[in-house]
Amino acid sequence: DSLRSCRPGVRIAPGAPENFTKRVKSMLKPKKKITKKEIKEDQLVTTYFEARSWFEEHRRLAGYLVGIPILIVVGLFLWNLNLKESNEKATAKLSKVIAFYDQGRYEEAMNGAPQEGLIQGLVAIVNEHGKTKSGQIGKLYLANCYFAKGDYNKALELYLGADFDDKMLAASALGGAAACHEAMSQFEDAASYFEKAASKNMTGLQAPENLHHAAANYALTGKKERAVELLKKLKKEFPESPYARD
């Protein structure tokens, strides 16, 4: 009965539960704005102390770099500084996109809506700031947009290209990849990625759904024993989850 109740279904914004959305929005919460004058006056002082702090943190590395032109070391610091500034820009831009995304206006979220004040959409944000943390979050949202529009190959490419230290975000990307395979009837790959997503973040927020869908897809490939194993694991680890009651 449990296997018969497992039916894979295409989901909008796969792997992104309500808690995930709240978490991302809190990460994108704008900080206190300062004037251009304050920025200009404080720039040299800030740069000096950031450089000093960076060298203190990387003192051991600097010791290994004896003989290498100091310009290279300075270049490493400036690269980190530029990456930080790029991340702040990406955060500000992404916070404006979320409203369109939440409304299901995926085309505007992807490409912008200048007439409504959204100059850059997710495509531009990812292209310009893709190496930053906020840029990677933008990549996840962009993948969700492609998924919602039915372009599963493009969505899959973005999900697999996302890189997160955060377990919830990493699991969301793996779950998104799984959902793409599922939508394209590639059930064995779907099962594998759903299982990876569950293992990445074994918490009640994501793992029960991912384990359930992994079992469903394994059943469709004829691997019913593996499906039963995952359902037993689901019921054991998360007995209160709705997915464990089927």
Side-chain angles (χ1 to χ4, degrees):
D1 291 339
S2 294
L3 287 180
R4 285 197 295 271
S5 68
C6 289
R7 290 291 183 270
V10 175
R11 296 169 302 289
I12 299 300
E18 182 181 357
N19 288 40
F20 158 78
T21 304
K22 290 180 179 179
R23 184 168 186 170
V24 170
K25 287 182 177 179
S26 68
M27 294 169 67
L28 299 176
K29 190 174 183 180
K31 299 178 180 179
K32 180 182 178 181
K33 294 184 178 180
I34 58 177
T35 65
K36 291 182 178 180
K37 182 179 180 181
E38 289 174 323
I39 294 175
K40 185 176 181 180
E41 291 176 346
D42 194 50
Q43 188 174 19
L44 289 177
V45 175
T46 300
T47 301
Y48 166 76
F49 281 106
E50 286 185 344
R52 181 175 177 178
S53 176
W54 190 90
F55 280 115
E56 287 296 327
E57 292 177 6
H58 298 79
R59 183 184 295 275
R60 181 175 297 179
L61 173 61
Y64 292 136
L65 297 178
V66 173
I68 297 179
I70 192 64
L71 182 61
I72 296 179
V73 180
V74 174
L76 287 172
F77 164 71
L78 293 177
W79 181 84
N80 278 279
L81 185 60
N82 289 334
L83 194 64
K84 178 182 177 182
E85 293 176 351
S86 181
N87 186 66
E88 291 174 351
K89 290 179 181 179
T91 300
K93 294 176 182 179
L94 193 55
S95 64
K96 297 179 181 179
V97 173
I98 302 303
F100 291 85
Y101 174 89
D102 286 344
Q103 295 172 27
R105 298 173 62 182
Y106 302 115
E107 190 64 37
E108 290 91 340
M110 293 168 66
N111 299 307
Q115 69 279 9
E116 297 184 53
L118 185 63
I119 306 301
Q120 287 190 322
L122 291 166
V123 173
I125 293 172
V126 171
N127 286 339
E128 291 184 22
H129 310 287
K131 294 182 179 180
T132 68
K133 291 182 179 180
S134 290
Q136 288 294 304
I137 292 175
K139 184 179 291 186
L140 189 58
Y141 272 105
L142 181 58
N144 285 346
C145 288
Y146 278 116
F147 184 92
K149 290 168 66 67
D151 192 342
Y152 304 123
N153 284 309
K154 185 62 178 178
L156 179 61
E157 178 185 343
L158 289 165
Y159 285 131
L160 294 180
D163 183 20
F164 299 107
D165 293 326
D166 184 279
K167 289 183 178 181
M168 180 179 285
L169 296 177
S172 294
L174 289 170
C180 290
H181 284 298
E182 182 184 78
M184 294 186 287
S185 299
Q186 299 167 354
F187 302 121
E188 188 164 355
D189 288 330
S192 177
Y193 274 103
F194 274 126
E195 191 171 0
K196 289 178 182 178
S199 298
K200 179 63 69 172
N201 188 31
M202 279 295 289
T203 67
L205 292 175
Q206 292 176 295
E209 179 182 4
N210 286 322
L211 287 171
H212 185 272
H213 285 292
N217 282 278
Y218 275 125
L220 290 173
T221 65
K223 297 182 178 181
K224 293 187 177 181
E225 291 184 3
R226 183 56 182 157
V228 170
E229 288 177 6
L230 291 179
L231 289 175
K232 288 181 177 179
K233 183 177 182 179
L234 168 58
K235 293 177 183 293
K236 179 181 179 181
E237 299 291 335
F238 307 100
E240 301 302 318
S241 170
Y243 292 99
R245 299 170 192 165
D246 293 334

